[in-house]
Structures are given as structure tokens and as C-alpha cells.
């Protein structure tokens, strides 16, 4: 009986320490990841990232880029839209409607979970996506590379307090740039 | 003896059957099937995709001119079909039913037509070509003139007066250029095109009679600010035969507190070869300010001023337009609008216009 209780307590402790999968905390870095086999790309600017996700840039360092979104309505999707695209997700809807009516750029495909995104990006050179840093750490992958972000002329890594893509209060205004 | 020998083969059969039944599940895991087919992992450049969609809007409109009566109309019904093979090739088709009233003081329009029908080939980010019928790349409003996406119910004066055709039938080269080593610098969007129109039913395009040509250059600063200039020239054969040269200077900037400021200035220089006395310049401009006070709602003010020759003589016209827009769902747009139309220095009667519009994407 004692062993059963110890086992239950241990299981509860493990569950608490792991936390629910896929939930990120506020002010947590959202990192941009590419396949570790994409040797040419180690960093990227916010402007280039924005142009890629809006469909205006399809090649980086000579390589075809395939960009992917997190699930619509997810916290990381909203954070990425505000920090990189300079608009809320609902504003981005208008942009993609205009593109659809004019026969313009196609929107990025979206995937339901960070796990799917990471497995896709790892398998394909040229694939680019963003995931919460906590999900990346939990996945314990060595086939992905985290890109450093150029914010203006400053190179930021995820441990930098000024790292530009963070989960934050959704009511905060978009980052102007 | 017979019984014991019979049980062993039966067990082996059951085990073999279990292996056969369970093995597809193991294979499914290896195929990484996360609720989507393997096709999602195919490179986009190998995929043929077709999208169909559209929108419609309807409105109640009225004004206070003597003899006019209110109208409730289905104003637009628009559908598009977009087929792409990978990155490089595209066929696009857009058809529209238009039923716009004359209650705004401009000419009404009631017709079914093919708005756009073109093929596109893309060599890369910097260069692509379109062949067919496409929206004229002139200024800000004309290329993106779908009322479902506009902040107002009624377009600005230069669109209502049809200063330039909404579409071209011809060929266009266009692209984007970004400074690779300095991504914080502005990008450049460019377009050059030529078209042809005549009075046949197939090639009729708003009085264009012969070859037309134009170009557009736009500097983009981030994603919310731009400054652009357009030129467009065409021969037009209406009551007189004339050459029209059009210039458009336009720009937009996003201000703090969710404010957006945009303006266009259009000048049309008319050189009449049959009636030289009618040669003149037309100037039309607007400035608008939109305040998005809620993620799903805004108020918009537009001041439009310029030369209006829709009544036979050229008169100065001022239009103050106030619009409240609400977007309760991403696919649903509601607008309330009020406009004051003034004709200073003219005998034409001033009037007020009001309307309500509902639009939906599908």
C-alpha cells in the first residue's frame, strides 16, 4: 500500500514538472527553427522573415524557402503575427483575402502542433517555422537549428531579454517596424 | 495425439493473423501521418492546386435630392477561380455581377462581366508576367477596388467617375526587389504593362480605343507605409477622340493609436484631337483617416475634392464621407455611411447621401 502511494505521488510530481504539453508561459521566446542540414542559414532579420511570411520573398541564400504557420488562434501564432508581421492575426486575414481576390501570394500552411512543425522542418531543407522555446526543449531534438534574429542591427538570441518574438499580453499593440 | 498437434498450428495462425492486422498501424507511424495525408509533405512546386471563392455585398442607399427614392440592392456578387501548378504557373478567373445605384450622384452600373482572366508565369521574386485581363496597376485603389475590402461603401471620386479603366487587356511585367544586404531599407514594387481595347464586345473597356500603356512604382516601408507613383496613357473615343495621360501619386502611413492615413492625387491630361477646345486637365484627390478603435471596428473619414464632369460640364466637387465599419466575424463586414456632396462655384445642387451595407466572404 505504501509503495502504491509512493508511486502515485511520484507520478503526480512528474506530471506537475512536465506540465501540460504545448502550453507556453507569458514572455517566453518564440524561436524560429530550420533544419540543421540547411548549412547556409544561421540568422535572419525581422524584415526578411516578414517578407517570407507575406509571400514576397521565396528564396534566401539562394535556397527555396517553405514557411509554415502554427495553428490559427494559438498564442505563438498571435505573438509571431504581432512581432514579425506587425499586425494582429485578424488584420492578417484581410491581407490574405486581398491576395486571394487578386490572385496574389498564397498563405503559409499551418499545422496543429509544434511537434508536427518540428518534424516537418527537420525533414526538409528550406522549411522554416516557429515554435515556443519550451516545446523545442521538451522535444529534445538535435536535427533543428534555432536562428538568431536581427532586430535592426542587433543580433538577438532567445536568452536575450530584448529578443523580439515573445509571448505576451494579446492586448498589447503590434510592434511597429 | 491428434488434439495436441491441432492446437499448435491454430496458435501459430492466430499469432500470424495478429501480426498481419497490427502491422499497418506500425507502418502508419513511420509515414508520419499527423491527421494529414502524405501529400502535405510534397514540395509546393510539384503541386497542382485550385481555389474557388468569392464575396457579395448588399446595401440600402438614399439621398435627399428631389425626385430620388431609396434603393435596396444586391450590389456585387463576385467569384474567383485560381489554379496554380507549383510556384511558376497560374490561371486566374474572376467574374462579377455589379448593380450600383446612382444615388451617390455618379453613374449607375448594372452588368455581369468577366473582371479578370489571365495566365501568370513567375520567374522568381523579382519578375513575373501576366497575360490576359487584369486590374489596372494604377494608384492604390484601382488594383484592389473590391468593395468588400474597402473601408467605405462608395469608392473615391476618380473611381466613380471612371477616370481610368478598372482593367487592362494585355500584358504586364512586375515584381518586387528588396536590398539583400540591408533588409531594413525600403523595398520596391514595380510594374509595366500594355493593353488594347476597342468597341467590340470582347475587347470593350470603358471607351479605350487602341493601345494603352502604363507603369507603377511603389516604395514600401515595412508593411504599413508606402509611397508610389503611376502613369497610364490611353486613347479614348467618346463624344470626342482624345489622348488621356494620367498620373497618380499615392501614399499611406500608419500613425500611433491605430490610425491610418492615406491619400491619392490623380491628374488626367486630355488632349482632344477632334475638338481641341475640350482639351483640359482634370485633378481629383482624396485624403482619408481611419481609426481602428477596436480590433473589429473602425471609423473612417475621407475628404475628396476635384473636378467632376459627369453632368456634361466640369464642376468642382467636394465630398465628405463618414463611415462606421464593424467586422463581427472575419467573413462578415457591416458599414454605415454618410456623405455630404458639395458643389462650390456651381449651380448643381448640393446633396447628402446615406447608406448601410452588409458584405460576406465565402
Amino acid at each position: 500500500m505504501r509503495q502504491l502511494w509512493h508511486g502515485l505521488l511520484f507520478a503526480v510530481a512528474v506530471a506537475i514538472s512536465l506540465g501540460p504539453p504545448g502550453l507556453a508561459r507569458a514572455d517566453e521566446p518564440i524561436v524560429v527553427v530550420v533544419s540543421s542540414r540547411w548549412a547556409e542559414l544561421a540568422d535572419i532579420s525581422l524584415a526578411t522573415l516578414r517578407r517570407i511570411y507575406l509571400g514576397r520573398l521565396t528564396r534566401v541564400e539562394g535556397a527555396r524557402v517553405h514557411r509554415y504557420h502554427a495553428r490559427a488562434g494559438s498564442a505563438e501564432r498571435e505573438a509571431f503575427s504581432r512581432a514579425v508581421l506587425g499586425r494582429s492575426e485578424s488584420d492578417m486575414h484581410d491581407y490574405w483575402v486581398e491576395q486571394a481576390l487578386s490572385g496574389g501570394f498564397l498563405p503559409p500552411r499551418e499545422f496543429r502542433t509544434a511537434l508536427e512543425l518540428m518534424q516537418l522542418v527537420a525533414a526538409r531543407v528550406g522549411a522554416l517555422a516557429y515554435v515556443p522555446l519550451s516545446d523545442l526543449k521538451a522535444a529534445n531534438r538535435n536535427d533543428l537549428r534555432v536562428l538568431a534574429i536581427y532586430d535592426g542591427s542587433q543580433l538577438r538570441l532567445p536568452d536575450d531579454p530584448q529578443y523580439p518574438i515573445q509571448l505576451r499580453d494579446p492586448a498589447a499593440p503590434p510592434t511597429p517596424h | 495425439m491428434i488434439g495436441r498437434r491441432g492446437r499448435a498450428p491454430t496458435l501459430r495462425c492466430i499469432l500470424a493473423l495478429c501480426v498481419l492486422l497490427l502491422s499497418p498501424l506500425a507502418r502508419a507511424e513511420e509515414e508520419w501521418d499527423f491527421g494529414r495525408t502524405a501529400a502535405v509533405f510534397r514540395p509546393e512546386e510539384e503541386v497542382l492546386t485550385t481555389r474557388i471563392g468569392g464575396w457579395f455585398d448588399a446595401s440600402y442607399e438614399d439621398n435627399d435630392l428631389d425626385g430620388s427614392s431609396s434603393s435596396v440592392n444586391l450590389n456585387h456578387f463576385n467569384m474567383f477561380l485560381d489554379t496554380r501548378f507549383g510556384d511558376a504557373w497560374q490561371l486566374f478567373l474572376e467574374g462579377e455581377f455589379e448593380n450600383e445605384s446612382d444615388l451617390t450622384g455618379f453613374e449607375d452600373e448594372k452588368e455581369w462581366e468577366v473582371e479578370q482572366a489571365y495566365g501568370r508565369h513567375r520567374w522568381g521574386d523579382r519578375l513575373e508576367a501576366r497575360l490576359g485581363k487584369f486590374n489596372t496597376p494604377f494608384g492604390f485603389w484601382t488594383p484592389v477596388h473590391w468593395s468588400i475590402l474597402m473601408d467605405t461603401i462608395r469608392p473615391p471620386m476618380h473611381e466613380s467617375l471612371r477616370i481610368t479603366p478598372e482593367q487592362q487587356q494585355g500584358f504586364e511585367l512586375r515584381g518586387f526587389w528588396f536590398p539583400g544586404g540591408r533588409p531594413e531599407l525600403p523595398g520596391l514594387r514595380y510594374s509595366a504593362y500594355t493593353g488594347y481595347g476597342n468597341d467590340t464586345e470582347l475587347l470593350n473597356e470603358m471607351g479605350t480605343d487602341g493601345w494603352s500603356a502604363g507603369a507603377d512604382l511603389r516604395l514600401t516601408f515595412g508593411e504599413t507605409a508606402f509611397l508610389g507613383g503611376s502613369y497610364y496613357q490611353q486613347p479614348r473615343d467618346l463624344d470626342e477622340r482624345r489622348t488621356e495621360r494620367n498620373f497618380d501619386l499615392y501614399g499611406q502611413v500608419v500613425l500611433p493609436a491605430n490610425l491610418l492615413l492615406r491619400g491619392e492625387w490623380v491628374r488626367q491630361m486630355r488632349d482632344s484631337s477632334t475638338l481641341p477646345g475640350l482639351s483640359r486637365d482634370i485633378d481629383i484627390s482624396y485624403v482619408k483617416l481611419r481609426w481602428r478603435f477596436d480590433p473589429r471596428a473602425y471609423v473612417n473619414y475621407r475628404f475628396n475634392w476635384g473636378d467632376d464632369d459627369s453632368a456634361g460640364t466640369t464642376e468642382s466637387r467636394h465630398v465628405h464621407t463618414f463611415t462606421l465599419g464593424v467586422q463581427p466575424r472575419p467573413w462578415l463586414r457591416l458599414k454605415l455611411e454618410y456623405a455630404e456632396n458639395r458643389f462650390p462655384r456651381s449651380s448643381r445642387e448640393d446633396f447628402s447621401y446615406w447608406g448601410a451595407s452588409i458584405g460576406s466572404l465565402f
Side-chain angles (χ1 to χ4, degrees):
Chain A
M1 190 65 178
R2 186 187 302 171
Q3 286 173 340
L4 177 63
W5 275 111
H6 287 168
L8 282 173
L9 283 173
F10 177 74
V12 168
V14 169
I16 290 173
S17 66
L18 285 178
L23 287 185
R25 301 181 300 279
D27 290 335
E28 176 178 52
I30 307 294
V31 293
V32 179
V33 292
V34 298
S35 166
S36 62
R37 294 181 290 139
W38 192 357
E40 291 80 12
L41 200 63
D43 51 62
I44 196 166
S45 70
L46 282 178
T48 300
L49 199 54
R50 180 182 67 243
R51 288 163 181 160
I52 290 171
Y53 268 83
L54 292 178
R56 299 179 183 184
L57 200 61
T58 59
R59 290 189 173 274
V60 175
E61 306 286 340
R64 176 70 168 86
V65 180
H66 311 276
R67 78 282 200 234
Y68 301 97
H69 257 322
R71 178 181 51 84
S74 63
E76 57 265 36
R77 171 89 169 251
E78 182 70 25
F80 185 86
S81 287
R82 288 180 177 273
V84 178
L85 307 181
R87 310 180 210 195
S88 67
E89 210 180 318
S90 57
D91 287 341
M92 284 308 305
H93 182 263
D94 276 8
Y95 173 82
W96 292 119
V97 169
E98 179 183 316
Q99 293 301 313
L101 295 181
S102 62
F105 307 118
L106 294 176
R109 289 177 182 163
E110 63 177 60
F111 286 79
R112 287 186 302 213
T113 66
L115 176 63
E116 289 180 301
L117 280 169
M118 286 187 283
Q119 290 189 316
L120 170 67
V121 169
R124 191 177 190 189
V125 176
L128 186 151
Y130 54 91
V131 298
L133 182 58
S134 59
D135 287 353
L136 179 63
K137 287 179 177 176
N140 196 26
R141 304 187 70 103
N142 59 6
D143 52 0
L144 293 175
R145 176 186 302 151
V146 173
L147 298 184
I149 303 288
Y150 269 104
D151 182 6
S153 58
Q154 294 294 318
L155 189 64
R156 308 282 187 193
L157 293 172
D159 57 358
D160 186 333
Q162 301 296 318
Y163 185 80
I165 316 175
Q166 302 264 5
L167 283 175
R168 60 184 54 176
D169 180 1
T175 304
H177 58 262
Chain B
M1 291 294 289
I2 292 175
R4 283 207 295 271
R5 276 201 293 273
R7 267 203 296 276
T10 303
L11 259 172
R12 281 199 288 271
C13 286
I14 292 172
L15 281 173
L17 193 61
C18 288
V19 169
L20 284 172
L21 286 172
L22 291 172
S23 60
L25 295 178
R27 277 203 297 275
E29 278 189 10
E30 293 169 8
E31 286 170 353
W32 291 358
D33 184 7
F34 302 109
R36 289 169 172 77
T37 67
V40 79
F41 295 104
R42 290 173 57 197
E44 286 91 347
E45 53 267 29
E46 299 176 9
V47 175
L48 175 66
T49 59
T50 296
R51 297 191 301 172
I52 298 175
W55 57 275
F56 66 89
D57 63 6
S59 70
Y60 158 81
E61 294 179 294
D62 201 356
N63 65 33
D64 62 355
L65 283 171
D66 292 337
S68 71
S69 58
S70 64
S71 75
V72 178
N73 278 328
L74 173 67
N75 294 115
H76 304 92
F77 186 87
N78 180 301
M79 286 196 69
F80 72 88
L81 187 147
D82 184 350
T83 294
R84 304 180 189 227
F85 183 75
D87 291 341
W89 296 97
Q90 178 189 17
L91 290 174
F92 188 82
L93 183 65
E94 177 191 358
E96 184 173 77
F97 166 71
E98 287 190 86
N99 184 25
E100 295 178 358
S101 75
D102 60 357
L103 288 168
T104 54
F106 298 106
E107 194 176 320
D108 62 357
E109 187 172 0
K110 301 177 192 302
E111 60 182 349
W112 283 95
E113 63 176 348
V114 173
E115 288 276 292
Q116 300 189 87
Y118 63 79
R120 169 158 64 183
H121 177 66
R122 198 160 190 251
W123 286 276
D125 298 328
R126 297 186 181 180
L127 189 62
E128 62 184 45
R130 290 196 291 182
L131 177 66
K133 187 175 185 180
F134 47 87
N135 288 344
T136 305
F138 184 77
F140 171 80
W141 189 286
T142 303
V144 294
H145 61 268
W146 306 282
S147 56
I148 188 73
L149 286 182
M150 292 300 111
D151 293 329
T152 57
I153 295 177
R154 297 301 299 154
M157 274 172 59
H158 71 278
E159 280 294 314
S160 298
L161 291 171
R162 299 181 194 143
I163 294 297
T164 55
E166 287 184 334
Q167 283 86 32
Q168 292 293 300
Q169 296 154 163
F171 178 75
E172 180 198 25
L173 288 172
R174 65 180 193 172
F176 284 88
W177 177 82
F178 303 107
R182 300 286 301 277
E184 68 277 12
L185 292 178
L188 181 66
R189 195 185 78 172
Y190 41 86
S191 166
Y193 55 94
T194 183
Y196 182 80
N198 58 32
D199 58 2
T200 63
E201 189 174 341
L202 179 65
L203 295 178
N204 186 278
E205 191 56 62
M206 286 177 49
T208 304
D209 185 23
W211 288 96
S212 59
D216 175 78
L217 283 176
R218 180 186 294 194
L219 281 173
T220 59
F221 305 90
E223 272 312 307
T224 52
F226 53 77
L227 181 65
S230 304
Y231 173 78
Y232 172 69
Q233 176 174 322
Q234 71 171 24
R236 190 175 283 204
D237 194 3
L238 298 170
D239 297 329
E240 48 167 322
R241 181 162 181 82
R242 66 189 187 215
T243 299
E244 296 174 349
R245 289 175 291 146
N246 303 273
F247 300 87
D248 190 326
L249 188 62
Y250 61 97
Q252 174 182 292
V253 65
V254 173
L255 303 171
N258 294 325
L259 289 168
L260 183 144
L261 182 67
R262 184 191 302 145
E264 281 192 78
W265 166 66
V266 177
R267 164 164 285 193
Q268 183 174 79
M269 302 169 68
R270 300 175 178 178
D271 298 317
S272 177
S273 58
T274 53
L275 295 170
L278 294 182
S279 298
R280 62 188 181 280
D281 296 345
I282 301 288
D283 281 295
I284 303 175
S285 306
Y286 76 83
V287 174
K288 66 159 271 179
L289 185 67
R290 185 191 76 194
W291 176 38
R292 190 174 284 279
F293 58 90
D294 182 90
R296 295 182 179 182
Y298 63 86
V299 288
N300 187 89
Y301 167 69
R302 183 176 68 211
F303 176 44
N304 221 154
W305 69 98
D307 301 318
D308 179 356
D309 60 353
S310 60
T313 57
T314 303
E315 298 154 325
S316 177
R317 181 171 185 166
H318 296 175
V319 186
H320 301 268
T321 305
F322 304 87
T323 311
L324 168 66
V326 180
Q327 192 176 331
R329 294 288 185 273
W331 46 267
L332 185 62
R333 318 288 168 107
L334 308 173
K335 300 174 202 171
L336 285 175
E337 189 158 294
Y338 174 81
E340 277 289 333
N341 290 262
R342 305 270 173 83
F343 297 91
R345 304 184 294 275
S346 167
S347 59
R348 197 168 164 184
E349 187 181 350
D350 297 347
F351 69 96
S352 300
Y353 157 90
W354 54 94
S357 165
I358 180 169
S360 177
L361 297 152
F362 56 86

